[in-house]
Amino acid sequence: MSKSLRLRFIIAAIAAASLLHSCDVFENGEAETGTLRLHFSEMSYEVTKATSEIPDTSEFILMVTDSGGRTVYEGKYGDSPEKLMVSAGTYNISARSGVFSTPAFSSPLYGDDQCVTVRQGDVADVMLTCSQMNSGVRLKTDEAFLKAFPDGSLFLVSDDGQLMYSYSEKRTAYFNPGNVSLVLKETSANTTLFTRPLSAREILTITVSVPNVSGSGGISIQLDTARNHTGETVTIGGDPASGKGGDRSTALNVSEAAGSAGATGVWVYGYIVGGDLSSSSVSFIPPFKSETNLAIASRTSVSEKSSCLSVQLPQGAIRNALNLVSNPSNLKRKLWVKGDIVAAYYGIPGIKNIKEYYIE
């Protein structure tokens, strides 16, 4: 074999080996991936009796990071993909209803933190809960205290900051879990009246008074344990017979509606994600051709029919206002509809006989 021929043979062998190695890396890379699916369990929230507003989980800030701290996803939960293709490994998941760092009035924070392992070739389903993560304090000042300290000011103080709690204040002051002190500030001095550690979901009511006993002095602090609530479960959605879905404020979400076939005259909400339904498919990409139906889902990124609820649009004003042919800008908007839930409409649970709607 000539020298030039041997050289060409060696080069070809090296190239083939390199190609084979690169294919192995690609195939192994494919095999070493898994799927991460995140969902909110919107059937219940861990809140307190001091809180009445239930947040919209689609607006939660979602962050998924790997074991090395690298961000896989950061953004609104409602905009997150249904499936995250990730490398096999451990992932930290954080969901928050907002940002809370310093004390603030009327600012409950909700969320969840989970750590999950995604195995090679497997699907890891993570069900996120919605728990109140900060704590709060309510102050009550009786008339005797107001007369004794007319020029004083009450402050609630934590390591993260302080809030002035005026004598007429009725709102709940929220803090990160930890020590919170009640301080009376006067012209001559500051007096710490009370210090107590607070845990997540705890709302503590404190009554500040002056003993009304002749010859006694000082300030009295009374804890109202009947108002100290932690971890109360509030169920939303679910059985329409219980009043859920009776108005727009208690509307069923998509997953709840899917399990409530037979309910009539109930409110359901979701995001418009598509249309042109058939027995086998849903179109998620414009332009659309059918004016008679919609598909709604729990988040705007949904792209699988099985995750949707079908919506029949009755002829008239409702169809004219909601159909995606005439109103393409309705795609991804949040929709509430009132109607009857059926077990199947175009092969998936749906809602028909719509009488009212609201879109934002």
Side-chain angles (χ1 to χ4, degrees), residues 85-129:
M85 299 300 296
V86 296
S87 300
T90 302
Y91 292 86
N92 294 305
I93 302 161
S94 169
R96 295 289 186 276
S97 61
V99 177
F100 185 90
S101 58
T102 58
F105 287 107
S106 304
S107 300
L109 178 72
Y110 299 87
D112 191 16
D113 291 308
Q114 293 195 35
C115 181
V116 62
T117 298
V118 180
R119 293 183 173 83
Q120 176 179 322
D122 284 351
V123 176
D125 280 300
V126 180
M127 190 63 69
L128 297 168
T129 60

Side-chain angles (χ1 to χ4, degrees), residues 4-313:
S4 61
L5 185 59
R6 284 199 303 272
L7 181 59
R8 286 197 298 270
F9 178 79
I10 292 171
I11 291 173
I14 292 172
S18 298
L19 180 61
L20 179 61
H21 175 71
S22 64
C23 288
D24 286 343
V25 170
F26 178 78
E27 289 174 0
N28 288 340
E30 287 287 307
E32 290 174 359
T33 63
T35 303
L36 185 59
R37 295 195 304 195
L38 307 177
H39 304 277
F40 260 104
S41 173
E42 297 190 78
M43 293 299 291
S44 65
Y45 288 75
E46 289 296 323
V47 299
T48 70
K49 288 182 181 178
T51 305
S52 58
E53 293 187 3
I54 300 298
D56 182 355
T57 53
S58 65
E59 298 296 320
F60 275 44
I61 301 168
L62 177 66
M63 178 175 283
V64 181
T65 57
D66 64 17
S67 56
R70 291 178 291 272
T71 300
V72 175
Y73 177 84
E74 182 176 9
K76 289 185 178 181
Y77 167 77
D79 295 336
S80 65
E82 284 188 279
K83 299 177 181 178
L84 287 170
M85 299 300 296
V86 296
S87 300
T90 302
Y91 292 86
N92 294 305
I93 302 161
S94 169
R96 295 289 186 276
S97 61
V99 177
F100 185 90
S101 58
T102 58
F105 287 107
S106 304
S107 300
L109 178 72
Y110 299 87
D112 191 16
D113 291 308
Q114 293 195 35
C115 181
V116 62
T117 298
V118 180
R119 293 183 173 83
Q120 176 179 322
D122 284 351
V123 176
D125 280 300
V126 180
M127 190 63 69
L128 297 168
T129 60
C130 186
S131 298
Q132 185 176 315
M133 308 195 78
N134 55 2
S135 51
V137 177
R138 290 173 169 178
L139 287 184
K140 292 183 176 181
T141 50
D142 68 9
E143 187 175 347
F145 179 85
L146 299 181
K147 291 180 179 179
F149 301 95
D151 299 321
S153 299
L154 290 174
F155 284 79
L156 290 167
V157 182
S158 73
D159 291 340
D160 300 319
Q162 65 180 18
L163 286 176
M164 179 180 176
Y165 209 106
S166 68
Y167 292 162
S168 60
E169 182 62 70
K170 302 297 184 183
R171 295 173 297 173
T172 300
Y174 286 89
F175 299 84
N176 285 316
N179 286 332
V180 175
S181 299
L182 176 61
V183 178
L184 173 63
K185 294 190 177 184
E186 299 178 275
T187 304
S188 57
N190 296 337
T191 305
T192 299
L193 305 178
F194 175 83
T195 299
R196 186 181 188 279
L198 295 180
S199 58
R201 300 194 301 276
E202 184 174 9
I203 305 295
L204 181 65
T205 301
I206 305 172
T207 300
V208 187
S209 61
V210 175
N212 217 0
V213 181
S214 177
S216 64
I219 298 172
S220 171
I221 301 294
Q222 180 182 353
L223 304 184
D224 187 349
T225 56
R227 296 176 182 270
N228 183 9
H229 307 294
T230 59
E232 168 147 329
T233 298
V234 177
T235 301
I236 65 170
D239 182 10
S242 67
K244 304 302 179 181
D247 54 43
R248 189 158 57 86
S249 65
T250 61
L252 307 181
N253 61 43
V254 169
S255 60
E256 292 164 348
S260 301
T264 59
V266 294
W267 282 93
V268 175
Y269 76 93
Y271 292 88
I272 301 174
V273 295
D276 296 350
L277 282 86
S278 70
S279 59
S280 60
S281 66
V282 174
S283 177
F284 297 97
I285 301 174
F288 297 95
K289 300 177 181 179
S290 175
E291 298 183 344
T292 64
N293 57 70
L294 294 173
I296 63 174
S298 60
R299 62 177 100 177
T300 58
S301 61
V302 164
S303 58
E304 292 185 1
K305 183 180 179 181
S306 59
S307 300
C308 297
L309 188 76
S310 55
V311 179
Q312 183 188 59
L313 298 178

